[in-house]
Amino acid sequence: MENIQNQFDLTYIPNKIEKKLYSYWEKMGYFKPNGDFNKESFCIMIPPPNVTGSLHMGHAFQHTIIDILIRYQRMQGKNTLWQTGTDHAGIATQIAVERKIFKEKGKTRYNYSRDDFIKKILNWKDKSKNIINYQMRRLGNSIDWDRERFTMDEGLSNAVREVFVRLYQDDLIYRGKYLVNWDPKLNTVISDLEVEYRESQGFMWYLRYPLSNGIKTIEGKNYIVVATTRPETIFGDIGVAVNPKDLRYNNLIGKEIILPLVGRYIKIIGDTHANMEKGTGCVKITPAHDFNDYEVAKRHHLPMINILTFNGVIRKVAEVFNTLGTKIYTNYCNKIPVEYHGMSCLLARNKVIQDFKNLGLLDSIKQHKITVPYGDRSNVIIEPMLTNQWYIRTLPLSKVAIEAVKKDKIKFIPKQYKKMYFTWMNNIKDWCISRQLWWGHRIPAWYDTNGKVYVGHNEKEIRCLYNLSNDLVLTQDEDVLDTWFSSSIWTFSTLGWPKKNNELKIFHPTNVIISGFDIIFFWIARMIMLTMYFIKDEFGKPQIPFHTVYMTGLVRDDEGKKMSKSKGNVIDPIDIIDGISLENLLEKRIKNIIQPHLSKKIYERTKKQFPKGIKAYGVDALRFTFSAIASSGRDIYWDMKRLEGYRNFCNKLWNASRFILIHTKNKEHDFNHSTKILSLSDRWILIKLNNTIKDYCQALDTYRFDLAANILYEFTWNQFCDWYIELTKFIIIHGNTLEKYGTFHTLVNVLEVLLRLAHPIIPFITENIWLHIKPLINFDKNFNKINTIMLQPFPKYNSKLQDINAINDLELVKKIIIAIRNIKTEINILPNILLKVFLRTNNVEIQKCIQKNKKLIIYIANIQSIVLLSINDIVPFSIVKFIDDIELLFPMIGVINKEKEILRLSKEIHKLNLKIELINKKLSISNFLEYAPKHVISKERSRLLFYKEHQLKLQKLYLNIINL
């Protein structure tokens, strides 16, 4: 610790202190709950990162927000817990390991036993988890690492089995054969939420289906025309639907058609699913391969014919089921022409069209926009498939969860996500919880040789519970549970449930959950449902998992694009903290790219964006940037320029602290006693600090991290560093002993409070400076003797601290100084030329203030003198500046060369006119406004506004000088 404390370099070098500080914090146990059960608790559960690699900018953003809240609440003395852990991420992790094995050894998981393959995943998991945990430590996450959990550790696995068994016993879990989204590449069911719908240009095929037994339409045709985008599913057709109100076809309802290519007779049925205005009004019904057709089949009790294998190719023999999912054994419906066996859907589609054409049954083909479902991980077309799966009955669970949000027991920030939650919950479907994977929680269900199912925690329990003989062979279900099943019990399973302990009582319900809006249904809604079913309070009422849901937007790149490895625009937060060369950055972005043809584009874009790589900015600059751009729920456009600005902010704070330490070193006995005089600037900064505390706390309490960051920035940079420290130089040089005592005391104490205020957002630099400031402070009994800022009390607003005169007087002094500086800048007055300034006002209070602070104004504004004029006093030709009731006059004769200055200003105004004209032309082009990204258009408009404002200032100055 001494090594850290002794370091106060001339410049701020983050990587010299960050790792050492974090190791010290963790070693000392500062991140743990304080264990004081008499104090209010505060708990946040980490959204568990997937063990599939490393944290991205979205994680870093969310973790920053969480850590700000945790540190803020900890400093308020609450018994605070940040519970950490990782998620096994079933599909994502299995895909990653399978790719790795195939790339390295050319093998698939089927070359291994299930147990051996899982061992390989566990090795991957351990390495990935170590990377993730390293990143989290580098980000400054004040986590109680001793409580770290994993969704497949022993305790959580027990909790998962307990939840499954209880839900099954309560008839809330069931198994059945239903139509699901099937991924033919991964060979598993996926949820609706994991399907990505892509619009593309396709075709609508119009096929003639012959009518049987001489039947004809009202137009006298012996066929009807069916419009379809999926002709390859014809072998699964079980009927054709027409609208009962459609006069063209309603006389055919109940009649039969002869299904081409197979010769099977199928019925024409009446159903409102058939849209009279769409296509031909005749819809082929293929219930085993279309979700809408599936509902039609259930309404009409039609059989369902599955023509695809799990790999998505045409079967040799179709499977036929009734609407209950029971297999029907028939030779009539399951025949598929042999030439189609084993064909992919696309090949089968082309052949069906050709065969229809050869038979004279292809009526027409029209271009048609279609929406195609893709697996968001496999990137292959998803097929509706009839399979046996496990489901949770969600309707009984959803009612309580809806009420909790309706009654504001759970609040959404921003509020608009509350509506999104209700929309999904009010239309909720049963949750398919089984997945055909090897990695995950194995479903705790066993089958005997007759297919009878037994559910329990383990086979031994089942044999005992059902009094089964040891000779009876039982086989455990091969499937695993959906990853989101274990994640949905995260808030209580991580606290030891189902074991009885104090953790749940102390920290549950948790306070806040931080989440991206894209998993509101995956995770948030399901956590609420399952928690309220299993966790009850002392009165037996359902307990919510958290009080507040704070939704974050996505972190996008500087062009507004979603960050992804495939686009090569991902930024590793550690590369921002430690820096990275262009060569290494390019290697990271291109090394494991899935689409190699994009390498050149990624290379060129990266080289343009980071020509010298990324320099080291440190953790605090990164955290401050995240906080500053954390607008509620909105997507975030990452901006390296803002990062640079907040790195400068850290430097500013460091340099200000160094100035204070230099001037107060070995002087603490001189200014820590009561005999001191506070100057106007001392009184002013204390009021400013007090008001900043109030506004800053209000921003954090309402989750406006962007406002909090801006408030902190404004006070630190503008009020404290730029003004107050500058003003103190006058006292340090010209003040008497007691005034110096007052200023030294104020400098140190304001800095110390500011450090505590800023600590939740920028923990490393504040801790480092605080350790140097601490010896200079006389701490009262409310302070903690522990040698860290993070366990000190958070600053409190003092409503009794008021000093209107100090605020008004100092603000007036500032206005005058700013006006003088602006004039000097605008007319290019060299620093060594000292202006004589005249001031005229009728306001007696202003006159008193100026008279009292004349020396201060002269020193800070760097002028020769300031003279108060009466109304009738005459001065030479001057530039005049008005401030409220004040007239400032700046005599210019002998100060500037009038002709040269007029020429210079003319050139400047001409340059600005050209820039304004160029932007106006761009904004008048309709193609630019229609196709350019919104943020690009906004940037151009901002530039235009800036140039116009600057133009106006120069024109005013030009006129002033002409009139001299």
Side-chain angles (χ1 to χ4, degrees), residues 650-666:
C650 293
N651 288 339
K652 190 87 168 177
L653 178 60
W654 184 268
N655 292 336
S657 303
R658 193 168 177 275
F659 170 86
I660 293 168
L661 285 165
I662 288 171
H663 284 89
T664 55
K665 190 177 181 181
N666 302 322

Side-chain angles (χ1 to χ4, degrees), residues 664-813:
T664 55
K665 190 177 181 181
N666 302 322
K667 295 179 182 177
E668 57 266 31
H669 297 298
D670 294 339
F671 61 80
N672 265 328
H673 49 73
S674 58
T675 309
K676 51 184 173 286
I677 295 174
L678 297 183
S679 68
L680 172 64
S681 52
D682 295 332
R683 290 156 51 211
W684 171 80
I685 197 66
L686 289 171
I687 298 299
K688 283 289 185 180
L689 175 62
N690 192 44
N691 292 337
T692 297
I693 292 169
K694 179 184 178 182
D695 295 340
Y696 183 78
C697 289
Q698 185 178 1
L700 287 184
D701 289 339
T702 54
Y703 303 95
R704 288 303 306 268
F705 304 97
D706 53 339
L707 296 182
N710 290 335
I711 290 164
L712 186 63
Y713 185 96
E714 164 65 20
F715 175 80
T716 305
W717 190 295
N718 296 329
Q719 311 303 332
F720 184 63
C721 296
D722 275 3
W723 277 108
Y724 177 64
I725 288 181
E726 191 67 22
L727 293 167
T728 61
K729 292 175 183 178
F730 174 75
I731 300 295
I732 292 170
I733 294 171
H734 299 290
N736 61 42
T737 301
L738 294 183
E739 286 174 334
K740 289 179 182 179
Y741 287 173
T743 291
F744 290 147
H745 181 274
T746 306
L747 274 168
V748 170
N749 282 276
V750 169
L751 175 60
E752 193 279 331
V753 173
L754 174 58
L755 293 172
R756 283 187 283 129
L757 200 67
H759 179 74
I761 296 179
I762 45 175
F764 290 100
I765 191 172
T766 51
E767 176 79 294
N768 189 280
I769 298 170
W770 187 85
L771 290 171
H772 287 81
I773 289 291
K774 183 188 174 188
L776 305 178
I777 301 291
N778 277 339
F779 291 107
D780 62 30
K781 62 182 180 180
N782 294 318
F783 279 77
N784 198 316
K785 293 182 180 179
I786 295 176
N787 205 31
T788 177
I789 192 174
M790 77 171 69
L791 296 181
Q792 304 308 322
F794 198 78
K796 290 183 179 180
Y797 171 70
N798 182 357
S799 60
K800 295 179 181 178
L801 185 59
Q802 303 292 334
D803 194 338
I804 299 299
N805 292 333
I807 292 293
N808 292 341
D809 286 358
L810 202 284
E811 291 300 327
L812 176 62
V813 168

Side-chain angles (χ1 to χ4, degrees), residues 909 912-913 916 947-955:
I909 291 168
L912 275 176
N913 289 340
I916 290 168
Y947 289 147
K948 282 185 175 180
E949 288 174 351
H950 193 40
Q951 178 195 50
L952 189 62
K953 289 178 182 177
L954 290 181
Q955 286 172 342

Side-chain angles (χ1 to χ4, degrees), residues 135 138 343 425 428 462 492 566 573 684 719 739 916 958:
Q135 288 179 296
R138 291 306 313 279
M343 270 191 177
M425 291 292 280
I428 198 166
I462 286 170
F492 58 92
S566 62
W684 171 80
Q719 311 303 332
E739 286 174 334
I916 290 168
Y958 180 82

Side-chain angles (χ1 to χ4, degrees), residues 537-579:
D537 64 17
E538 55 188 320
F539 304 106
K541 292 182 179 179
Q543 194 179 82
I544 56 175
F546 29 71
H547 295 284
T548 303
V549 180
Y550 177 82
M551 289 292 181
T552 63
L554 299 175
V555 179
R556 299 182 179 274
D557 69 10
D558 57 343
E559 294 180 356
K561 294 176 182 175
K562 186 177 179 180
M563 290 189 180
S564 70
K565 290 179 182 177
S566 62
K567 292 174 183 170
N569 61 350
V570 167
I571 301 176
D572 184 340
I574 301 302
D575 292 340
I576 288 177
I577 294 169
D578 291 337

